């Protein structure tokens, strides 16, 4: 696969080989970073971050990755300060910004915006979240974190907890995990079960899938517990949200029956679904997971720029 | 009325047969024939049919349709047959086939899909033909069954 100029729009565009390759490059970069502090593969290259909807963490992670590669960053982080408000089309914005940059990272409230941007732009486009559709770099960093922690992905048992209905992070993670020989526990309130077509697809691909509402029953089986927040804004109506909010909290009590080696992951930010007491235990992997975002995004930026 | 008579009404052009009864308007919309285009447009609706019970037939005079154009019809009329007529004779006859990709005729039912907000041609990938399931090229959501008809 020639990565130079490639767009990173959807995890659906990736093969297992692609995922493993990104992981390998990220690992190499992480080691080089540890040895040398900063790298200069992308010296002279400019990243444009177009955040049509704010997401400070994701933006900082991409900016940090570009700086650590020796490149520089321009961009905006909300639609209000740009001509977007004046009704400029997305295509025109992209056509303009690519005159200033070598790679574009886009976060947009509409589904499919990143695909459209990628079609318009000559430079590579990386999707940093398009509405409730995709956030492929999150999935790649999740897989990288698992791989780094366990040395492998095949053979492990993963529980996905929380909002499995609306959470785009768990949808694309589940789809990517289908490439591997894993067992999946889908743990959610009845109302927030994983969409049927995804469960069917997982089973078709040979993943052993168990659906349950019972976190405490599932926890002794797990190597990874991937927790997601139940987000109010994803619900079509408030009443449905009120029925399920606060359904689960991962705390020391819940973790009593877990394997000693169980790792808890979370795409962050969290609200109250993981108690802060868990942070001090060996189970907490979520901050390390945040760190993984940098080498993984460095790998994607470097590869699509063709400098690695 | 024998089949041949119905077809030989036009001297040359295209006859689309075996359209489910009541769907002729969708067919001419798909083919962009809602405005006069020079030739005669003949429509027979609710015609008795052995295959379908009742069917519609659309005859387009003086125009030949591309295979791609014709295949879009398969979305609403999977049993349709297409006859190419020259000098009152059928010179070619084929069945419609759902293409791998459908551009321009379906509107994505996801209100938050970028294709409904920006200047872009809608585009769907065919995930399965039986039952018909399409995936929006942009928002990646899938549509099936009645939702497809509703999006035409
Ligand atoms: Zn769409």
């Amino acid at each position: 696969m020639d990565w130079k100029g490639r767009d990173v729009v959807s995890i659906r565009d990736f093969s297992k080989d692609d995922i493993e390759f990104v992981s390998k490059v990220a690992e190499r970069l992480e080691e080089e970073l540890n040895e040398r502090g900063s790298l200069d593969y992308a010296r002279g290259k400019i990243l444009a971050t177009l955040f049509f909807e704010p997401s400070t963490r994701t933006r900082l992670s991409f900016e940090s990755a570009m700086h650590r590669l020796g490149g520089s960053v321009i961009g905006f982080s909300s639609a209000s300060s740009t001509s977007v408000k004046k009704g400029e089309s997305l295509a025109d914005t992209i056509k303009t910004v690519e005159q200033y940059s070598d790679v574009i990272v886009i976060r947009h409230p509409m589904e499919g915006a990143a695909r459209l941007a990628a079609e318009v732009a000559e430079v590579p486009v990386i999707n940093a979240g398009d509405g409730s559709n995709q956030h492929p770099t999150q999935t790649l960093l999740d897989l990288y974190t698992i791989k780094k922690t366990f040395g492998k992905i095949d053979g492990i048992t993963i529980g996905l907890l929380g909002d499995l209905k609306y959470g785009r992070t768990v949808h694309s993670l589940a789809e990517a995990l289908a490439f591997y020989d894993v067992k999946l526990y889908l743990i959610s309130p009845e109302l927030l079960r994983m969409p049927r077509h995804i469960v069917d697809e997982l089973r078709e691909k040979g993943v052993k899938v168990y659906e349950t509402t019972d976190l405490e029953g599932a926890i002794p089986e797990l190597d990874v517990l991937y927790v997601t927040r139940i987000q109010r804004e994803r619900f079509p109506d408030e009443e449905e949200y009120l029925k399920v909010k606060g359904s689960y909290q991962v705390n020391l009590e819940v973790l009593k029956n877990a394997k000693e080696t169980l790792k808890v992951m979370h795409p962050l930010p969290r609200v109250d679904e993981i108690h802060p007491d868990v942070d001090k235990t060996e189970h907490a992997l979520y901050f390390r997971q945040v760190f993984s975002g940098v080498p993984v995004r460095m790998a994607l930026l470097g590869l699509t720029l063709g400098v690695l | 009325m024998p089949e041949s008579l119905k077809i030989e009404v036009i001297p040359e052009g295209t006859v689309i047969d075996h359209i489910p009864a009541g769907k002729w308007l969708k067919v001419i919309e798909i083919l962009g024939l809602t405005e006069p285009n020079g030739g005669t447009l003949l429509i027979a609706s609710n015609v008795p049919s052995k295959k379908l019970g009742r069917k519609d037939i659309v005859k387009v005079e003086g125009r030949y349709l591309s295979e791609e154009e014709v295949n879009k019809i398969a979305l609403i009329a999977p049993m349709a047959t297409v006859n190419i007529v020259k000098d009152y004779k059928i010179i070619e006859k084929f069945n419609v086939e759902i293409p791998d990709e459908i551009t321009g005729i379906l509107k994505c039912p996801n209100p938050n899909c970028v294709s409904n907000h920006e200047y872009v041609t809608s585009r769907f990938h065919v995930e399965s033909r039986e039952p018909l399931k399409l995936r929006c090229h942009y928002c990646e959501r899938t549509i099936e069954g009645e939702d497809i008809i509703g999006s035409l």
Side-chain angles (χ1 to χ4, degrees), chain A residues 160-165 185-194 211-215 230 244 247-248:
Chain A
L160 303 178
L161 174 74
D163 178 2
L164 307 186
K165 183 176 179 184
Y185 282 78
L186 306 178
I187 312 155
S188 72
E190 276 297 332
L191 278 172
L192 296 180
R193 284 168 72 156
M194 183 72 84
E211 292 187 271
T212 178
T213 57
D214 177 19
L215 170 60
I230 297 179
V244 292
S247 295
Y248 298 103

Side-chain angles (χ1 to χ4, degrees), chain A residues 22-75:
Chain A
V22 172
S23 209
K24 218 171 280 165
V25 173
E27 190 157 19
R28 196 186 89 205
L29 291 170
E30 191 178 330
E31 279 161 19
E32 286 183 37
L33 260 188
N34 284 339
E35 278 165 27
R36 291 194 269 153
S38 68
L39 307 173
D40 59 2
Y41 291 110
R43 185 192 300 277
K45 301 288 186 188
I46 297 174
L47 160 68
T49 56
L50 310 187
F51 278 61
F52 292 86
E53 126 191 307
S55 170
T56 310
R57 289 151 199 270
T58 305
R59 187 170 52 85
L60 290 179
S61 175
F62 272 107
E63 291 185 357
S64 170
M66 190 59 176
H67 286 304
R68 292 218 191 274
L69 273 178
S72 43
V73 183
I74 57 171

Side-chain angles (χ1 to χ4, degrees), chain A residues 10 12 89-91 109-113 115-116 119 130-134 197, chain B residues 110 112-115 117-120 123 127 133 135 137-142:
Chain A
S10 166
R12 305 173 57 82
S89 74
L90 177 59
M110 277 175 208
E111 288 101 51
R115 180 74 66 192
L116 175 60
E119 284 175 350
D130 58 331
S132 59
N133 182 34
Q134 284 274 336
H197 69 272
Chain B
N110 171 10
N112 202 38
C113 176
V114 75
S115 69
H117 297 269
E118 294 277 328
Y119 183 73
V120 17
R123 199 169 151 196
E127 293 256 306
K133 184 170 157 192
R135 187 184 294 277
H137 173 71
Y138 291 98
C139 72
E140 305 190 7
R141 294 214 191 155
T142 55

Side-chain angles (χ1 to χ4, degrees), chain B residues 47-148:
Chain B
V47 178
S49 155
K50 270 191 226 124
K51 225 154 109 184
L52 300 173
R54 293 273 169 180
K55 66 175 180 181
D56 291 354
I57 306 168
V58 170
K59 301 165 204 184
V60 190
E61 190 201 359
R63 206 180 132 185
Y64 301 99
L65 308 166
S66 73
E67 201 172 322
E68 194 203 333
E69 218 174 0
V70 157
N71 285 346
K72 289 176 178 174
I73 294 167
L75 294 177
I76 51 156
M79 310 281 280
T81 50
V82 178
N83 304 275
I84 311 291
V85 180
K86 242 185 186 143
D87 294 332
Y88 295 97
K89 283 194 204 80
I90 297 171
I91 59 156
E92 207 187 324
K93 186 177 185 134
F94 53 91
N95 297 319
V96 296
E97 227 175 276
I98 294 169
D100 294 334
E101 203 177 290
I102 292 147
T103 50
I105 52 164
L106 287 170
K107 187 175 156 352
C108 182
N110 171 10
N112 202 38
C113 176
V114 75
S115 69
N116 291 318
H117 297 269
E118 294 277 328
Y119 183 73
V120 17
T121 307
S122 78
R123 199 169 151 196
F124 291 84
H125 304 282
V126 176
E127 293 256 306
S128 102
R129 288 186 163 78
E130 196 57 56
L132 185 58
K133 184 170 157 192
L134 311 175
R135 187 184 294 277
C136 176
H137 173 71
Y138 291 98
C139 72
E140 305 190 7
R141 294 214 191 155
T142 55
I143 50 170
E144 302 175 58
E146 281 304 302
D147 288 342
I148 294 173

Side-chain angles (χ1 to χ4, degrees), chain A residues 132 160-171 186-195 226-236 240-241 244-245 247-248 266-267 273:
Chain A
S132 59
L160 303 178
L161 174 74
D163 178 2
L164 307 186
K165 183 176 179 184
Y166 298 112
R168 73 180 165 207
T169 322
V170 279
H171 296 169
L186 306 178
I187 312 155
S188 72
E190 276 297 332
L191 278 172
L192 296 180
R193 284 168 72 156
M194 183 72 84
Y226 194 102
V227 186
T228 63
R229 187 156 54 96
I230 297 179
Q231 284 172 277
R232 180 190 298 254
E233 62 271 24
R234 299 249 184 261
F235 283 78
E240 200 187 341
Y241 170 71
V244 292
K245 75 166 192 158
S247 295
Y248 298 103
H266 191 299
E273 57 279 357

